[in-house]
Amino acid sequence: MTQVEIGRGKNGRRAYALDEIGIVPSRRTRDPEEVSISWQIDAYRFELPLVVSPMDSVVSPRTAIEIGRLGGLAALDLEGLWTRYEDPAPLLEEVATLDQEAATRRLQEIYTAPIQDELIARRIGEIREAGVTTAVRLSPQRTVQHHKAVIDAGVDIFVIRGTTVSAEHVSGRAEPLNLKQFIYELDVPVIVGGCATYTAALHLMRTGAAGVLVGFGGGASHTTRNVLGVVVPMATAISDVAAARRDYMDESGGRYVHVIADGGMGGSGDIAKAIACGADAVMVGSPLARAAEAPGRGFHWGSEAHHPDLPRGRRVEFGTIGTLEQILHGPSSVADGSMNLMGALRRTMATAGYSDLKEFQRVEVVVAPPQP
């Protein structure tokens, strides 16, 4: 692995973002209609390798149901407005009218309302009644407090997601979440993250998680790099965690943990390159924030944006380009990779000569400087 001298006292490894790599076609091509992009985690099978980010601007009970019907999985944020307010629609409308300077402060204010276990049960019930797989998200800090309401409501997949999640959180103020014990005691598959290194991922896999989120989430809407200085380019992060998955399979006698790329999936090309680097599926937010059905009404923000002490995200305006179905399945009326995301993935795999996602993870990639 290439080490670069930062200075006489510090070396660093050269890492690559998704827009710095390219996919290399093989000696054969295929018909896109004969390519499978289905994905299965635990007992749950999906037609699309897609988990929609637990962000209020993208996922409501209504959009979670629609995404499930379209073949994907959407995770509802149980620390969002849907579990704090009976009807968050007026607040979502207000957020869409705020100027940029006022947006962060107002988001901090409206997210101070307490989370209600009764609303957690109701929102999960709304999604379950539609007959789609139900996934919800809590942060590690809130998981102990609210997990019983989540399990009692009958959730299918539990997502524990933070900017950075480790299996060894150290705190002198409060008893940290024991991930290994917690996951062992649950009767549902757990997806946990984010992480961005081989070692951190290996430790999370040893907790018994069914899936690990790679990246720091947020993508276009987070400012973690500017506020904390924390960043690991996604192509390298995914590849490192995929290596941890391989080694954990050997260590555990064949247990497979799914790698889900979380953050920086701005368009269809990024999704294809994330899977080429070793991801089993992708978690996306901003591409679907542009949907006509999105609760954010063309605006996008994540849980980092309303942190009471140190916001690490912002509200971003994307506008609206089409329906959820058009963005996922087409047809597309633009040439920038923001629509027909899954059709583009099929075509990439067909062009490169691969018939399913596991095969496609073995595709050759090259370092390709991003286009200006």
Side-chain angles (χ1 to χ4, degrees):
M1 197 64 70
T2 303
Q3 291 283 327
V4 178
E5 184 180 290
I6 307 300
R8 292 193 178 191
K10 180 71 70 174
N11 290 339
R13 184 159 62 106
R14 175 67 167 96
Y16 296 94
L18 291 173
D19 62 1
E20 293 180 281
I21 68 164
I23 294 168
V24 180
S26 67
R27 63 182 176 84
R28 66 167 63 91
T29 56
R30 295 182 181 274
D31 187 328
E33 296 303 317
E34 297 177 3
V35 169
S36 170
I37 59 171
S38 64
W39 171 60
Q40 181 164 335
I41 181 168
D42 202 83
Y44 301 98
R45 185 180 186 278
F46 304 95
E47 293 304 311
L48 310 178
L50 174 81
V51 184
V52 182
S53 298
M55 296 176 165
D56 279 344
S57 55
V58 181
V59 180
S60 66
R62 176 171 164 257
T63 57
I65 293 167
E66 181 62 17
I67 289 160
R69 288 174 175 163
L70 291 170
L73 175 68
L76 183 70
D77 185 6
L78 295 186
E79 298 176 29
L81 299 178
W82 299 96
T83 57
R84 298 175 190 264
Y85 297 93
E86 290 275 349
D87 180 14
L91 292 169
L92 290 164
E93 291 178 6
E94 179 189 352
V95 171
T97 65
L98 297 172
D99 62 50
Q100 195 56 47
E101 291 184 3
T104 297
R105 183 174 297 278
R106 182 57 180 143
L107 285 171
Q108 288 175 312
E109 292 171 353
I110 64 178
Y111 280 90
T112 58
I115 298 167
Q116 303 175 47
D117 283 353
E118 178 187 345
L119 287 178
I120 288 177
R122 188 187 307 175
R123 302 310 185 200
I124 293 174
E126 291 173 21
I127 301 171
R128 282 184 59 83
E129 288 171 9
V132 302
T133 303
T134 306
V136 298
R137 171 263 179 186
L138 284 170
S139 66
Q141 295 83 359
R142 302 268 193 178
T143 294
V144 173
Q145 181 180 356
H146 296 291
H147 78 277
K148 189 176 187 304
V150 174
I151 300 302
D152 289 347
V155 73
D156 296 314
I157 297 175
F158 198 150
V159 180
I160 301 175
R161 180 179 186 257
T163 301
T164 302
V165 177
S166 74
E168 296 184 39
H169 180 67
V170 178
S171 174
R173 297 183 302 163
E175 184 68 26
L177 174 66
N178 185 325
L179 271 176
K180 188 170 186 177
Q181 179 181 346
F182 179 80
I183 291 173
Y184 177 78
E185 293 174 354
L186 289 180
D187 196 28
V188 299
V190 176
I191 297 171
V192 62
C195 68
T197 67
Y198 172 94
T199 302
L202 193 58
H203 280 269
L204 289 179
M205 291 172 185
R206 289 169 177 163
T207 67
V212 171
L213 297 172
V214 185
F216 302 119
S221 66
H222 83 64
T223 58
T224 300
R225 178 172 185 163
N226 294 336
V227 177
L228 300 183
V230 174
V231 59
V232 180
M234 282 295 287
T236 296
I238 296 166
S239 300
D240 284 349
V241 175
R245 174 186 61 204
R246 177 199 62 213
D247 291 349
Y248 178 70
M249 282 187 68
D250 292 339
E251 173 187 305
S252 63
R255 184 172 182 271
Y256 190 91
V257 179
H258 292 264
V259 173
I260 303 168
D262 178 15
M265 303 293 120
S268 56
D270 296 324
I271 292 172
K273 287 188 278 188
I275 294 172
C277 286
D280 297 287
V282 296
M283 177 172 275
V284 303
S286 57
L288 298 181
R290 299 178 171 95
E293 303 96 324
R297 295 159 174 78
F299 288 87
H300 185 47
W301 66 93
S303 58
E304 305 91 350
H306 54 77
H307 192 282
D309 302 316
L310 191 65
R312 301 177 305 281
R314 56 178 174 246
R315 187 203 60 169
V316 180
E317 183 175 7
F318 284 123
T320 300
I321 60 173
T323 65
L324 282 170
E325 184 167 7
Q326 289 173 321
I327 291 172
L328 290 178
H329 295 301
S332 175
S333 58
V334 295
D336 60 2
S338 62
M339 298 183 75
N340 198 3
L341 302 178
M342 297 297 105
L345 175 59
R346 282 192 180 90
R347 186 164 293 275
T348 301
M349 292 170 60
T351 300
Y354 294 88
S355 61
D356 61 42
L357 296 173
K358 293 307 299 178
E359 282 189 0
F360 186 57
Q361 289 174 343
R362 300 195 294 268
V363 70
E364 181 184 353
V365 298
V366 294
V367 176
Q371 293 180 337

